[in-house]
Amino acid sequence: MYHSVVWDEPLLKELEEIKKEKYILMSVLPESLQRKTIIDIPDLDETQVMRHFFHLSQMNYGIESGFYPLGSCTMKYNPKICEEISRWEQFALLNPYQDESTTQGTLRMMYELEQMLCEITGMDHFTLQPAAGAQGEFTGLLIARAYHESNKDAARDEVILPDTSHGTNPASAAMAGYKVIEIPSTKEGTVDLEMLKKALSDKTACFMLTNPNTLGIFESEIIEVARLVHEAGALLYYDGANMNAIMGKARPGDMGFDIVHLNLHKTFSTPHGGGGPGSGPVGVKQKLERFLPVPWIVKKQDTYCFDYAHPDSIGKIKSTYGNVSVALKAYIYILLMGGNGLKEASEIAVLNANYMKKKLVDSKLYQLPYRELRKHEFVLSCEHLLSTKGIRALDVGKRLLDYGLHPPTVYFPHIVKEAMMIEPTESESKKTLDIYIDTLLKIAQEDPSLVKSAPQNTVVQRIDEIGAVKNPILTWKNLDKTKE
Ligand SMILES: Cc1ncc(COP(=O)(O)O)c(C=O)c1O
């Protein structure tokens, strides 16, 4: 606790000493290095600085502040106990280069988490190394390449994906050196089997898919998709970022997927967003096991250790062993929830999404393209609002801010015009969902000029989002210049 300073005699003396030291230092510095003008930095006391930063922190929005239905992002409640345990010094102060004999608990946790993820997804072996979903995709695609090369089938240089796929899918495929082939979806919003058949060839390395897809629709033809892909000699890749919809209900391994990545930082108790840390473990079927990154975590009798003896491995993907604290949170979360708890979480996530969807669609103010039944998220279109009132999805999102609510994802997936993608998750009450629904309905009936000029009640109004990314202003000096 700080009290206001009393400038008594000893303190003044001390200050004099400090000044003297400063002058001595100045005198030993060569003239050329000495400052000629007074340094131009803000002159603020500790209280002001504290209030400034506290105020800034309040301008931020997180799941702790309110409902965050950002479709495709699974912004759900992350139990605080997972956060707390992951900060225990027994875990947080470990050094990755410590002798294995001193880190048995953490190694056991990682080993057991891999087993749990195998059980949840129906895969045979997992690595915890990748630090994000996108890095998981990249890892999975390198594994696919290693597999085809080992089969003397290296000419396979194409990755197929549907037009609903998340942007990281084509990006990862391109980064891994593949040609990206996009196929259009059916009118139902699912994989078009005819298009898939046409695209598959002896050049196909992999078909990447998320199920449920980014429209929130379960790919009910998945068994046939898997059959076609395998018949063509290719592999089936599962983007598990939407796992929150099907935990305990269906397993990608049983659907025929060969490679899976999960976003622990969505489904398994780590906040998503803000740049990390994240974790995108990759699971594979037995035939791909030998290509997994090293080291593996193995158990020899009662001892856990790292195992590097895998000559066919794609090598190392991330420094040391991945983001272990994120893995730890997932481990605690899975133990806390248990199998039935995970299943129930998915059931409620799906229920919440379908409740919201029904109320919004019944209003006829927003439209639902493609198939009716959704899983954990749904995508509405604001096309009708645009044609009748000139209101776009972006305007609705901005207007929500005036009501203190976070907007949904907009303009994704690209195949839906004026898309608004809502993912309520399992951790929200009916009351919260009702408030959001009522607000969306209200906005659709408001004066268009009000909606199009929103937000009015926020610190900043409409920002140049592209400019903000391309030319970020991150210091007070630059900020000042923009005012000049
Ligand atoms: C469907 C889907 N796939 C992949 C990713 C990529 O995950 P990450 O952001 O961890 O790289 C996301 C992220 O939002 C996603 O929604």
Side-chain angles (χ1 to χ4, degrees), residues 87-300:
R87 289 175 194 180
W88 285 357
E89 60 182 35
Q90 293 93 323
F91 297 112
L93 297 185
L94 286 187
N95 187 303
Y97 298 110
Q98 253 173 260
D99 190 87
E100 283 162 18
S101 64
T102 66
T103 57
Q104 283 297 299
T106 298
L107 290 180
R108 175 177 164 191
M109 177 279 289
M110 291 163 79
Y111 179 84
E112 289 181 1
L113 177 62
E114 286 183 4
Q115 311 292 312
M116 289 170 178
L117 298 182
C118 285
E119 180 65 35
I120 292 169
T121 57
M123 305 309 281
D124 294 320
H125 201 139
F126 255 87
T127 173
L128 302 178
Q129 270 187 49
Q135 201 186 12
E137 292 163 20
F138 183 67
T139 306
L141 291 165
L142 294 188
I143 291 173
R145 157 155 330 119
Y147 168 77
H148 291 307
E149 278 173 2
S150 78
N151 287 342
K152 311 262 173 298
D153 206 1
R156 292 183 180 269
D157 62 353
E158 292 176 357
V159 167
I160 307 174
L161 31 83
D163 55 5
T164 47
S165 74
H166 189 261
T168 49
N169 292 185
S172 304
M175 264 187 77
Y178 287 109
K179 285 185 205 135
V180 177
I181 317 278
E182 188 183 277
I183 55 169
S185 301
T186 60
K187 282 199 223 86
E188 291 273 282
T190 51
V191 172
D192 187 325
L193 293 181
E194 289 312 311
M195 288 293 173
L196 178 62
K197 277 184 213 162
K198 271 191 209 152
L200 284 166
S201 74
D202 56 4
K203 304 286 282 171
T204 314
C206 211
F207 180 49
M208 293 179 92
L209 191 62
T210 179
N211 196 16
N213 65 26
T214 58
L215 293 165
I217 298 175
F218 190 81
E219 297 279 357
S220 34
E221 297 293 337
I222 188 62
I223 302 293
E224 180 59 5
V225 168
R227 195 189 66 74
L228 291 172
V229 170
H230 291 145
E231 196 177 68
L235 294 170
L236 189 56
Y237 183 96
Y238 184 74
D239 173 341
N242 289 340
M243 197 66 201
N244 211 49
I246 59 165
M247 287 183 296
K249 289 282 185 184
R251 308 191 309 170
D254 300 335
M255 298 176 208
F257 285 92
D258 304 292
I259 311 172
V260 163
H261 90 257
L262 294 175
N263 279 31
L264 295 188
H265 50 285
K266 287 184 168 191
T267 318
F268 298 100
S269 191
T270 283
H272 181 212
S279 178
V282 169
V284 294
K285 282 292 172 84
Q286 187 123 37
K287 63 180 176 194
L288 301 171
E289 208 173 69
R290 64 197 168 104
F291 306 111
L292 280 169
V294 282
W296 296 14
I297 301 154
V298 294
K299 188 178 176 190
K300 291 185 180 155

